[in-house]
Each structure stands twice: as structure tokens, then as C-alpha cells.
Amino acid sequence: MSRPTALVLAGPGTNRDRDVAAALELAGANVSIALTRDVLDDPALLDRAQLAVVAGGFSHADALGAGRMMALDLAAVGDEMRGFVDAGKPLIGICNGFQVLTRTRLLPGALGHNAQGDFDCRWVVLDPVGSSRCVWTAGLTHPVHCPIAHGEGRYVHPDPAALADAGQVALRYRSTNPNGSVADIAGVCDRSGVVLGLMPHPENHIVARQHPHHRRGGGGHEHLGLRIFENGVRHAKAR
Amino acid sequence: MADRHRLTIRSIDPDPRAASVLDGIKQLGLDPVGQIVVADIVFVDGDLENDAQHRLHAVLVDPLLQSGSWATPTTCAVEVTPLPGVTDAGAHAVEHAAHVLGIGIRAAATGVRVEFPDEPSPEAISTVVERLVANDVIERWSHGTVDPFAHLPPNGPTHEADIIPLRSLSDDQLADLNTERGLSLDPEELTAIRSHFDSLGRDPTDVELETLAQTWSEHCAHKTFRARINIVAGPADELGTQRPPLLGQLRQSTESLAAPFVVSSFVGNAGVVEFEPGTTLAVKAETHNHPSAVEPFGGANTGVGGVIRDVLGIAHRPIAVTDILCFGPPELPLDALPTGTLHPRRIRAGVIDGIADYGNKIGLPTVAGAVLYEERYTANPLVFAGCIGSAPTRPLHDGPYPGDRVVVLGGATGRDGIRGATFSSATMDATTGDVAGASVQIGDPITEKLLIDALVGAEDLYSAITDCGAGGLSSAIGEMAEGVGADVELDAVPRKYPGLAPWEVWLSEAQERMVVAVPPDDLDELRARCEHVGVTVADVGEFTGDNILIVRSGGTVVAEIDTEFLHDGRPQREMDAALPEPDRSRATRRVVDDPVDALRRLLQHPNIASKASTIHRYDHEIGGSTVVRPLIGTAADAPADGVVLAPIDTTAGVAIGIGVNPWYGLHDPESMALAVVDEAIRNVVAVGADPDKVALLDNFSWGDPRRASTLGELVAAVDGCCTAAHMYRAPFVSGKDSLNNEYMGSDGERHSVPPTLVITAVAHLPDADHCVTPDLVAAGNVLMMLGSTEPEFAGSHLDLVLGEPAEPGVAPAPDPDAPAMYRKLHAAMRAGLVESCHDLSEGGAAVALAEMCIGGRLGANVDRLPGEDFATALFAESIGRLIVEIEPRRVAAFLRVMDDDATRIGVVTDRLDLRLPGVTPIPVSDLVDWFHHGPDDHAPAGGPS
């Protein structure tokens, strides 16, 4: 099958749309970036896509809570988003996109301010959860290395154990939990497993040179964030 | 009132802002106030039915994180709200939500509520609020509740311009007018303006006078850097001579170097270089000192926004941001703080928040920088913000052409930053914070992000572009109109609120605006492009071709200025300089009784200790191009020399290095300039950059140049820059001076910054896959020192920690062999012979070796160090030196490439200690511990929350 079509959604203030577009291109997709207003004008953009991303950044400056205004904007195409997921098409929300997707109720839980109080940018190690039903992390046997860059990344959920039992915990922070997320949760998926939300930025580790330990022989292809996007593309193709 | 509503939103888990205020109270030694609770407030002016309240509540309050209440709280508290016209992103969000939900409201605002459940005294509360929570420059606060709608901006005249009866004023009356209007003009300039209008047979309008004051301000016109300079004291052979202008000297040095990679230097908004065919880089560094002193968050925030617009204003996509910050000592007791100034802790917290907020939100990595602490920066903190941009090579825009439209893009105009350029050019005093008022704004990074989205890729749709910075439209359109003329209508400029006088619209420094000259045929396409991403487009007039700048308000002409007089009518300044005569003949030595303790104190010194708490606040990963980060090594906690950016699909990258050392400047400004140019270049060479492809930026922050000794130090520093540019064959491509960094204390004493020259080196890095960093790699490798070590201690950090002796001796002298040595080192790196490399700077060899051990979590056994005595070998700060780590099998090859110009000093070990000659072994864990426990812990944020 040819390269699947990926749609990257960007609101006013989304700023990692180009980064994730580069990751998806490398993973084998044909990517286009659309503004929220483009999708509101033409909801069929979603129908035509086989994979979608809500990208990271500061939509509407994250004023009064990260992701809230963009989630409100997307409510107008709530049925189309729901339809996209119900059709089994992979959707990922990264950082601000994760915050947006929790507010649209496509993902469970919420993201609060980091426990330590400040925006934090550093590299973290993510353990894929083997029992997860998430299509984006399925089959990943090695930890993913990539940076975080957020001020509101503390994952909150009233019953993280039930979430894990349902196979919805996809990624956990290894050793360093940078923001106080409950049960070290870095990424969660919906009940079907096609929607993944995560705070870290796998799109900023798609070639070995980006790894901070590259010069010391660290990193390595098995730890690339690219693997997550390759999974998404593979799933989009397989449908 | 029934049509005013307020929603108080509380975090269910502890709000970290409360802990931050409590921490600040402790650090500043304020009276304890018990517990603190912080909440957000949303104010709505509009008739909200219950259902509307319910729906807004559902959007603004996340039940998993927050609780919200529409009732007015009555507990002991203060509330803070931005002044009308100050950027309030929250208010925009509420208005957006109401619009999407179909709820009609008239206005929205936000605020912060700080509650004191233990009900301390109102005085204790006021102190906490004034010191830590609110800033009157941008905010209003009150005990109990606050009404944000109570103080809308006054309605002034909207079309009328005042006539200033300038021709009838005596010289004394001119001086009074100068003070009253805050024009900051020289007496000769005032009389030149008077003569000009005499010759026209009319008086100027306020618009005309203010336009001239802005255009002729030190900030915009660089009067000192363009002045003729008389040498009134100094070496006998220079006494009584006259110097060409400093700016001319720097330009001349660049021209004479004729570096093939320089595309554009010292013109336009930024320097442009082309290291690799097909891609140009725009580079610029700016200062934002005065605004950051009175409103640290907003000042630094808009400083970053401004320099990003400089790069956008030369048609490049911004790709990275740098920042160099100079603060007073964080431990300064409150009673030692000059009246009317903010405490260094608060300035630091606000500035760092401001940079992080803008850079992170606009989506640019903040990659390189420095933080310096020095008592002389207490009243005059310095904020240097830089930006690099990239673009496919194309001819520079050469418009505007007659007939092109004058188009303003971006944010609306308010009374923001009125007279910012003249404000920046004046000495500050205790009242500066009060009168500055509108001089500082909070940035709006999202609006600027949208400007980038709209303008990158639109290069064929305009013939000229510039940003609105100091002086606002008056500077931007005034500069573009030079040699062509323009006719503009102020009514077409979008406003934030009504009631602005014409001169206020014309001079407003409202942020996030660009001006482009657009051929009429391209206007529709540009408009469509801008409106698609959400950028406001205002067609305000035309470039005419008659060389006259005409400004109208409601059709009436409020200014008519010959652009030749505007740009060339200013009488050249003539200034006196007393050149410094440092004694460079007598080096003095140091005796260090306890070298371990000295190293401990150096590693804990705030200038050297870890800056991790600051660096992690900045996104340095976005864009995916960051290859060498500001923190490196196994634990990502050691300082890098240069940082490297390289897009994922290219082999080559760009390296950025910074050099700054005001302590040398206090002893010998010329040597300082040579030293900091060397340091910036050494930083990029150390990471693998090509020493033959380095471009430099200069930023001078100085005291009042009308004092001959201060100007003399500036002249000496410029001399040093020009000498260094030739020595290293590294041209200056852009620069910026910020003078008058002085504070008039209530004691009548002037407090000046030390001579502060920041050099930014931007260099071509041929192979980003093989960068070199300072972290030690493997036990058994050989350590070698490059460069020569002399007893140079004046301005050293050893003196800062142990105290300066009566005869400090000499500051580091230039090393004429350094440029050739850097070329050899680069060849060795290209051949893959170098495992790690670190430059020697503050604290000398001992600190450099400690940092290499920290980076690699490995030990080093150093059995000999060059230097004629113990203290010199360990702690002298001679420039041009590096330590490299070489695999044993490659030592011979390395020495061949270096022409034996390297000294073996020891080996890397896995014993996990640092062994220096004559010093007890120091465990690496101690080094790590000292390095991380300097006083640079992050202070609580002041300003907007």
C-alpha cells in the first residue's frame, strides 16, 4: 500500500506541528498540516485522512488552562472526530494535543500544572506498557527516549489502577517522574487503543543525532521516538 | 452590579504559586504571613443567565483539577489584575469561549487572588504583595476584591495634534520642554530642530517633535557610536587627536576583512551570512535593560519578542534564541537595595519567566546563554536577547518603491511603551518605575507566532519589511520612507481602545507588529494569507516617491517631515573621551593556601555553579535541530562550550558561542574585548566549528558616555574588538549598544554598570554528526593542554572568591598564536582525533578539569600543569587555552597535526577523583555536589502569574 495520509491539526499557538510532520514523513506517511479553522470549514479533511495528530504547543496561549480553547473549537467537529476514532483510524495527541484530547473526552483524565510548579524541559525514558491495548506502542520492546517540554503535564486520574487494568496505560516514566503524574503515567490510550495521548515529544527523537548521548554511543535506533510513529503509520496502512 | 460576574477558580491540588510566594518571603526575610492560597479569577462584563454561567464554567473549570465559584469571596485576601491595555491572554480566552458558546459579553478580564487564611496585618500583606506578587507598572491590586473594569483608559483627543510653539522658545525654555516631554534630546539637537522649523516658517506639531525625538534618540540613532570623539586624556601620542565614529571603525574592520560569507552587515534589522551555498543565516542580539529593571517579566518577554522580529524583519525564519543575563547578588539584604529598585531575586525570577514564556510559547529553542552576578548590576540589570534565523538564499529586499502600500501586520495599537526609545536612553532614578508606566508591556508570543506563520513563505509579496520596535510606527515607517517618502492615515491603524492622540498612535510601541511595503497587485494575496492564519492586516497608506513623510489623522495632516531632515538633519555629536591607561607591565602572583577550598568556592560561585534550574525552564528541543545542548554529559548537568543546531536532514550545522567578562573590563577594557572575542570563538571551535567561518555580534552595555572616562573605556573596548576581528579574521556583522545604564541613587550618587561587552560568535560547523563536548569519555585517555599560561589574575574569579589584592596585576593578554592553534585543533577534530574538549575560562584549569570530570562522571590524574607557580597553574585565566582528551593510540597523530603545540598534563581515570599536582585528591562526587549547590536556586516569580 502507498503512503497513508496523515493530518496534523494545529490551533493558533500550536508550535510542534512541523516537528511531528517531519516524524510522520520519516515514518512513511504523506503529511499535511491543517489549522483548526480549516477543519471547521471542511470537516471532510478528517474523513480523507487515515491518521491524525493534535500537535504540541500553546494553543490560544494555554490561557486559563492548557488546551481548553482548542478543545472548545474542536467541539464543533466532535462527531467527525468521534467517527474518525470509531472507524479505527489512529489518532495521537502530543503534549498540548494530549491536553486537548482529554478536554474533548476522547481520552480519560486531565493534565494539571507540574507538581514542581514550573515549565520543565529535559530528556526522559519511557517504558512501553506491554499489556496496553494501544496501537501506537504495540510491540515496542525497548524504552523510548525523548524530551519533555511542558508546564502542565501532571496526569490526573481518579483510578489509575482501573485504567491500567483496562490496558489504557501506554507509557510510564522510568526512574524520573518529572511532573508528579499519577502512577508515573506518561501516556494513555482510549478504550479502543487507537487514540494515544502523551506529554513527552517522541517527534524530537527521530534520528540518532538528536539524542544527548549520541556522541558517547548512547541512544540507538531501538530507543527512537520514531518507532511510535512507525506503529501509527503501520496501523493506518493495515486497516 | 448585576451585569458584572466573577468566577473564582481554585486548584484542587496545592497551587505551586503559593509555595513560590512563601519561598520568596523566606528568602527576602519578610515577616511571616502564615499560609497562602492562590486562585485565578475570571471577570465578565455582560448579562450572564444561569445557563450561560453554567456553560462558561464547564469550559473554564476542569473538575478533575479545579473547583470554581461565581460567589464573591470574603476571606482575607488581595486581588491583582492587569492595568487596562496590558496584554491579558486570559481575557482573550474568555472572550473566545463566550463567542464560540454564543454567549454575548461586553468585556472580560482576569486576575489573581492571593488569600491569607491566618489573617496577618494589612501592612504585612502589603509588603508581601509589593515585594513578590504585583507590580504597579503593569498591574493594579487591592485588599479584598478588585474591579478590573473600573479604570478604563481616559478618553483623550482622537484627531487633534497640538502645535508646539517651538520657534518662540529660548534655549532655557527648550531645555524645559525637553524635560517635560521626556524627549532626551541634546541642546544642539533642539536648536537644530528649532532652526529647521524657523526655515519652514511654522511651528512643529507634537507628532513631528516626538517623531524627531524618537528617531534621534540614542536608542535609534546610536548618537554616541556615530559621534566624533576627541581624546582629552590618555597616552601622549593620542592626546588631542580625534577619532572617527566607533560604528565606522567596526564597519571598516568588517569591510577590510572582506569575508566571502558575509551577505549583509550593519544595515537592516540583522546581519546576514551564508556559510553554505543556498542557505543564509540572519543573526542579531539586542538589549532590553531598562524595561527589565522596572518590569522584569514584561521587559525580558518583549525583549525576546523584539529580537525575533528583527530576524523576521530581514525575511528569515527565526530558528533559535539566546539570552545573557546580568543580575545583582541574589543574597543582597533588603536594606542594601537602592530606593525604588526591585530586589535581584525578583528581577531574576521575572526575567527568566519572561524569557521562558516568550520563547517556549512562540516555539523557538532557547539554546545559548549566560547568567552573571555582580553588585554593580543591582539597580541596572542587563538582559541581552539574541535570535538566529534561516532562509533559502535570495536577494535582499530592496524596496519600498513608490506606489507600494504601507501595510501594518499583527497586534493592535494601544498606549504601550510610549516613548520607549527615549526612556531607554535616559538615566533611571527612584521615580522611573512610576513614570515608566506605559513604557513596558507584556508580550503576546502567540500573535508573533502567527506573524511568523504568515510571513515565512510570503517573501515574494513584499518589497521591504521591518519590525515595529522602539519608536513604533514612527521609526518603522520613518526608516522605510527614507529616500522615498510616505503618506499614511493613522485612522487605519487598528486600536486596542479608543481615546489615543495621534502622536500616541504614531509612537506606540505596541508589540508584535511588522510593517511591510506591498506592491498593490500583491496586497490581496498577502491579505488572504495573513487572514487565514489569523493575522490582522491594515493598509495605512502609500510610499510616495517625494521624500516627504506625511502623517494624517482623520484626513488632517498632523506631520509633514522631509525624510532627509529626519534622518540626516541631526547634528553629529562631538564627545570627549579619556582613554584608560592600564599598567600591563606588572603581573602579580597569588598565594592559595587551600586549593581544595578555593576550587569549592569557585564551583559554588553563582557565575560558575550550575545554571540547570534556569536552563530547564527553556525549551531547548523544539524544532528538532538541537544537537549540542547547553547542558551536556552523562547526567546532562555539565556546561557546554558552544551549542550546535543542525536540521535533521543536513550534515552541517551552526555553532553558537558567547563571550562576556565585565570583571576584566573594570581593569582593562581593551584586553576585555580581546578576551571575550577569543572566548566566544574558542567556544565554537571547541565544539567543532570552523575557525575560518565565524561571524560576530557585539553588544555593549555601558554607563553614561558623556563622562569622558566612561567613553574612553568604550573607545578602548571598540579598539579591542577591531583588533580581535582582524586577529581571528572573524567579521562583526551586527551589533547594538545600550548606554546610560546608570541609576541615580536617592543619595545623589550615580551607580553605573561595569563595562559589559557581550560577544556572540555564530560559526559554521561542517559535521554535526561528530560534535565534540567537554565531558570526559574514557579512562586511559590522555589529557593535553593547548595555549600558554601566564600569571594573569586581574578580574579573575579567584580574586572574586578570595578577595582582590592591592595590586591585582594584569588582565589576560591576547595570545597572537591562538588563531593558528584553533585552525590546527579544528583539523585534528575533523580527523576524528579529539574525544572531548573544554575551554578554560573563569576559574582557570582547575575549574575546567572539574567540569570535564562532572560531565563524564570520570576522574582525572593530572601530574603537571603549565604555569610558573602553583596558583597560576591552577587558577590563572589566560585566554586562548583548551584542554583536550585524546585516545592514547592517537596522541602521536594529534601532536603531528598540532605541530607539537600541546602539553600532556595527565590521563582520564575511573578512580572517580580529580588529582591535581600538589593537591589532595578530590572525589568527583564532591565536585558534583559543589557545582550543584551554588546559590542559583530558582527564586519565586514576581509579576504576572
Side-chain angles (χ1 to χ4, degrees):
Chain A
M1 183 182 161
S2 61
R3 296 165 74 90
T5 303
L7 185 71
V8 175
L9 280 176
T14 297
N15 59 26
R16 268 184 165 87
D17 44 338
R18 283 155 37 93
D19 297 14
V20 76
L24 284 165
E25 287 282 352
L26 205 56
N30 282 337
V31 190
S32 59
I33 298 174
L35 301 181
T36 319
R37 67 168 57 177
D38 298 333
V39 178
L40 299 188
D41 288 347
D42 179 14
L45 278 174
L46 274 169
D47 286 345
R48 292 197 291 270
Q50 289 149 288
L51 179 156
V53 184
V54 184
F58 288 84
S59 55
H60 294 274
D62 276 358
L64 298 175
R68 296 189 190 185
M69 296 304 140
M70 186 164 170
L72 180 63
D73 290 342
L74 289 175
V77 289
D79 290 345
E80 286 82 355
M81 301 260 298
R82 188 75 253 170
F84 186 95
V85 173
D86 288 345
K89 296 198 267 190
L91 170 66
I92 187 169
I94 304 172
C95 197
N96 200 230
F98 185 17
Q99 293 157 340
V100 168
L101 291 181
T102 59
R103 291 291 295 175
T104 59
R105 301 276 175 261
L106 285 169
L107 287 171
L111 283 312
H113 51 73
N114 293 352
Q116 108 293 10
D118 289 325
F119 182 98
D120 191 18
C121 177
R122 65 181 68 238
W123 277 65
V124 294
V125 177
L126 305 175
D127 277 326
V129 177
S131 58
S132 169
R133 60 176 61 242
C134 179
V135 302
W136 293 86
T137 55
L140 293 188
T141 49
H142 290 87
V144 172
H145 298 187
C146 66
I148 58 160
H150 60 245
E152 295 179 53
R154 178 175 50 98
Y155 186 67
V156 175
H157 189 279
D159 192 351
L163 204 59
D165 290 345
Q168 288 183 253
V169 175
L171 295 161
R172 291 188 205 269
Y173 297 108
R174 175 186 281 196
S175 67
T176 304
N177 176 341
N179 49 31
S181 289
V182 65
D184 298 333
I185 293 172
V188 297
C189 64
D190 70 336
R191 286 174 204 281
S192 74
V194 298
V195 187
L196 171 65
L198 75 169
M199 287 311 298
H201 291 286
E203 73 273 32
N204 284 144
H205 187 203
I206 56 173
V207 296
R209 187 170 80 189
Q210 291 171 317
H211 196 285
H213 293 167
H214 173 59
R215 188 179 75 89
R216 307 183 68 91
H221 287 273
E222 66 277 21
H223 300 299
L224 287 176
L226 181 65
R227 302 288 166 248
I228 290 177
F229 300 103
E230 287 172 341
N231 263 344
V233 169
R234 197 175 302 123
H235 186 81
K237 276 184 183 174
R239 274 187 61 261
Chain B
M1 252 187 283
D3 55 356
R4 299 274 172 87
H5 303 267
R6 51 170 293 154
L7 174 63
T8 308
I9 304 171
R10 294 161 197 286
S11 175
I12 291 170
D13 293 314
D15 191 316
R17 291 175 296 181
S20 166
V21 175
L22 287 172
D23 193 34
I25 291 171
K26 204 168 87 189
Q27 284 170 352
L28 291 183
L30 304 182
D31 290 340
V33 291
Q35 285 184 58
I36 286 180
V37 177
V38 178
D40 291 298
I41 322 163
V42 166
F43 300 97
V44 177
D45 180 9
D47 307 308
L48 295 186
E49 304 294 324
N50 275 347
D51 171 62
Q53 280 196 356
H54 183 75
R55 286 187 296 140
L56 265 181
H57 191 288
V59 170
L60 300 176
V61 182
D62 188 321
L64 283 176
L65 305 171
Q66 298 160 313
S67 65
S69 164
W70 291 95
T72 302
T74 54
T75 50
C76 174
V78 296
E79 291 186 354
V80 188
T81 188
L83 288 170
V86 169
T87 304
D88 183 351
H92 293 307
V94 176
E95 285 159 5
H96 180 76
H99 172 75
V100 173
L101 295 170
I103 299 169
I105 63 171
R106 281 182 291 277
T110 63
V112 173
R113 179 175 171 84
V114 183
E115 297 179 336
F116 300 86
D118 298 313
E119 303 193 5
S121 73
E123 294 74 30
I125 291 175
S126 295
T127 305
V128 167
V129 173
E130 284 160 8
R131 290 286 180 195
L132 293 164
V133 177
N135 187 349
D136 292 343
V137 174
I138 51 157
E139 292 163 322
R140 227 155 37 74
W141 67 275
S142 62
H143 292 273
T145 58
V146 75
D147 177 3
F149 305 115
H151 293 261
L152 291 171
N155 279 344
T158 48
H159 285 308
E160 302 293 312
D162 287 339
I163 303 292
I164 312 291
L166 199 71
R167 291 177 300 162
S168 61
L169 298 186
S170 68
D171 288 358
D172 283 350
Q173 288 169 319
L174 276 181
D176 291 344
L177 178 75
N178 197 29
T179 312
E180 274 162 34
R181 292 195 79 99
L183 301 175
S184 293
L185 289 167
D186 290 351
E188 302 78 32
E189 293 162 353
L190 287 161
T191 47
I193 294 172
R194 190 177 54 192
S195 311
H196 177 72
F197 283 95
D198 257 336
S199 73
L200 295 179
R202 67 174 178 90
D203 280 313
T205 64
D206 53 359
V207 181
E208 290 170 327
L209 185 61
E210 295 282 356
T211 301
L212 286 161
Q214 294 294 318
T215 308
W216 292 7
S217 67
E218 180 69 89
H219 189 94
C220 294
H222 306 285
K223 296 192 265 207
T224 299
F225 266 69
R226 291 196 158 104
R228 280 192 303 270
I229 295 171
N230 300 313
I231 307 300
V232 296
D237 59 330
E238 295 229 40
L239 205 59
T241 62
Q242 198 173 59
R243 284 290 191 98
L246 299 175
L247 187 57
Q249 288 184 44
L250 285 161
R251 281 183 173 168
Q252 170 61 30
S253 98
T254 297
E255 278 165 25
S256 66
L257 282 170
F261 56 82
V262 175
V263 175
S264 167
S265 59
F266 292 109
V267 290
N269 286 311
V272 180
V273 295
E274 185 181 31
F275 290 136
E276 282 218 304
T279 302
T280 53
L281 299 173
V283 292
K284 180 65 182 278
E286 268 280 6
T287 50
H288 226 222
N289 303 336
H290 284 39
S292 303
V294 297
E295 202 327 87
F297 179 95
N301 197 243
T302 54
V304 174
V307 78
I308 293 171
R309 285 197 305 282
D310 277 332
V311 162
L312 195 55
I314 199 155
H316 281 63
R317 174 192 280 282
I319 58 167
V321 172
T322 65
D323 64 274
I324 294 92
L325 314 175
C326 303
F327 302 125
E331 69 279 9
L332 189 81
L334 268 182
D335 53 17
L337 193 64
T339 318
T341 61
L342 299 173
H343 191 273
R345 274 187 186 279
R346 176 153 185 197
I347 292 178
R348 176 177 68 180
V351 164
I352 290 167
D353 275 353
I355 291 170
D357 179 82
Y358 212 100
N360 295 345
K361 285 185 177 164
I362 202 167
L364 289 174
T366 300
V367 287
V371 188
L372 283 63
Y373 297 93
E374 154 68 42
E375 185 271 329
R376 294 170 184 85
Y377 294 126
T378 300
N380 287 283
L382 303 181
V383 173
F384 301 86
C387 184
I388 297 185
S390 155
T393 301
R394 69 169 82 81
L396 295 171
H397 290 92
D398 58 357
Y401 298 105
D404 286 350
R405 302 303 303 171
V406 183
V407 177
V408 180
L409 305 176
T413 297
R415 206 167 270 130
D416 317 24
I418 297 278
R419 294 181 175 141
T422 50
F423 166 59
S424 299
S425 308
T427 298
M428 298 198 291
D429 61 27
T431 65
T432 301
D434 301 334
V435 299
S439 286
V440 189
Q441 176 59 286
I442 301 297
D444 177 1
I446 304 307
T447 295
E448 192 151 308
K449 161 80 168 68
L450 300 180
L451 274 173
I452 297 174
D453 293 344
L455 284 169
V456 172
E459 293 80 7
D460 293 339
L461 302 178
Y462 56 81
S463 67
I465 180 168
T466 197
D467 79 306
C468 272
L473 296 174
S474 79
S475 283
I477 298 176
E479 279 172 26
M480 290 173 98
E482 184 174 4
V484 54
D487 189 339
V488 300
E489 171 55 70
L490 294 178
D491 279 10
V493 176
R495 319 284 171 97
K496 291 184 180 176
Y497 39 79
L500 299 176
W503 73 270
E504 292 181 308
V505 176
W506 185 233
L507 263 67
S508 163
E509 295 183 6
Q511 300 288 310
E512 289 89 26
R513 299 178 302 166
M514 303 290 295
V515 181
V516 284
V518 184
D521 289 348
D522 293 322
L523 188 56
D524 285 347
E525 191 178 340
L526 183 76
R527 190 187 294 278
R529 194 184 161 90
C530 288
E531 287 174 353
H532 179 241
V533 299
V535 166
T536 306
V537 178
D539 176 1
V540 304
E542 179 181 66
F543 290 101
T544 51
D546 62 6
N547 279 341
I548 308 290
L549 176 61
I550 293 174
V551 183
R552 298 172 196 271
S553 178
T556 310
V557 174
V558 293
E560 182 171 352
I561 312 175
D562 186 334
T563 61
E564 201 179 316
F565 178 69
L566 181 63
H567 293 290
D568 300 323
R570 187 179 61 80
Q572 188 180 20
R573 250 192 197 173
E574 196 163 317
M575 304 178 75
D576 292 342
L579 295 180
E581 294 183 87
D583 180 357
R584 295 178 184 144
S585 65
R586 287 194 306 169
T588 57
R589 307 205 173 177
R590 299 293 184 275
V591 175
V592 177
D593 297 327
D594 185 346
V596 176
D597 187 59
L599 179 56
R600 177 185 63 79
R601 291 169 69 178
L602 282 164
L603 286 174
Q604 289 180 336
H605 191 282
N607 293 337
I608 295 173
S610 169
K611 309 293 185 298
S613 63
T614 300
I615 293 167
H616 286 297
R617 302 288 309 283
Y618 308 139
D619 188 342
H620 31 79
E621 302 291 342
I622 188 163
S625 296
T626 312
V627 177
V628 175
R629 298 156 176 84
L631 293 172
I632 50 91
T634 56
D637 64 350
D641 290 332
V643 294
V644 175
L645 298 166
I648 53 168
D649 52 356
T650 67
T651 304
V654 56
I656 307 165
I658 306 286
V660 55
N661 194 316
W663 298 278
Y664 299 163
L666 289 167
H667 294 276
D668 185 342
E670 186 180 4
S671 294
M672 166 185 75
L674 281 146
V676 298
V677 169
D678 174 78
E679 187 188 6
I681 293 175
R682 202 153 28 110
N683 274 325
V684 293
V685 169
V687 77
D690 181 350
D692 285 314
K693 284 188 177 177
V694 182
L696 301 175
L697 303 176
D698 64 70
N699 284 96
F700 297 88
S701 279
W702 240 252
D704 186 348
R706 279 162 294 202
R707 195 168 43 236
S709 60
T710 301
L711 183 58
E713 290 164 358
L714 190 59
V715 171
V718 170
D719 281 349
C721 285
C722 294
T723 307
H726 277 275
M727 236 176 99
Y728 294 93
R729 303 199 59 75
F732 284 93
V733 294
S734 178
K736 185 68 198 293
D737 54 284
S738 163
L739 308 177
N740 301 310
N741 290 290
E742 301 208 348
Y743 177 86
M744 179 68 82
S746 49
D747 51 3
E749 270 189 54
R750 297 182 76 91
H751 304 266
S752 170
V753 296
T756 307
L757 169 61
V758 173
I759 297 292
T760 306
V762 179
H764 179 63
L765 186 117
D767 184 0
D769 288 324
H770 298 94
C771 296
V772 180
T773 49
D775 41 316
L776 295 177
V777 172
N781 285 346
V782 174
L783 293 170
M784 309 193 94
M785 169 102 76
L786 314 178
S788 71
T789 304
E790 307 295 335
E792 294 166 326
F793 285 103
S796 69
H797 272 61
L798 184 71
D799 281 3
L800 287 187
V801 301
L802 296 187
E804 187 176 278
E807 290 194 34
V810 297
D815 178 357
D817 298 330
M821 186 262 279
Y822 297 169
R823 290 187 178 97
K824 287 185 263 183
L825 175 61
H826 182 62
M829 285 184 174
R830 291 306 308 272
L833 302 177
V834 179
E835 298 304 306
S836 68
C837 177
H838 195 15
D839 82 315
L840 279 69
S841 56
E842 291 86 354
V847 166
L849 284 161
E851 289 173 342
M852 295 178 86
C853 291
I854 294 168
R857 291 298 197 273
L858 284 168
N861 186 5
V862 177
D863 44 35
R864 64 165 295 223
L865 275 174
E868 52 193 60
D869 62 78
F870 182 66
T872 298
L874 288 177
F875 300 113
E877 296 188 6
S878 297
I879 63 172
R881 296 185 301 161
L882 301 119
I883 292 173
V884 291
E885 176 189 1
I886 312 288
E887 281 187 31
R889 65 193 168 111
R890 292 185 167 137
V891 166
F894 179 73
L895 285 171
R896 254 195 320 278
V897 176
M898 296 303 295
D899 294 330
D900 287 330
D901 195 5
T903 309
R904 182 191 164 108
I905 58 169
V907 291
V908 180
T909 68
D910 50 13
R911 261 197 316 263
L912 294 183
D913 60 18
L914 172 60
R915 294 174 182 235
L916 296 165
V919 182
T920 325
I922 308 167
V924 172
S925 56
D926 282 2
L927 299 175
V928 171
D929 199 41
W930 297 338
F931 184 68
H932 280 285
H933 290 87
D936 192 31
D937 51 327
H938 187 63
S945 309

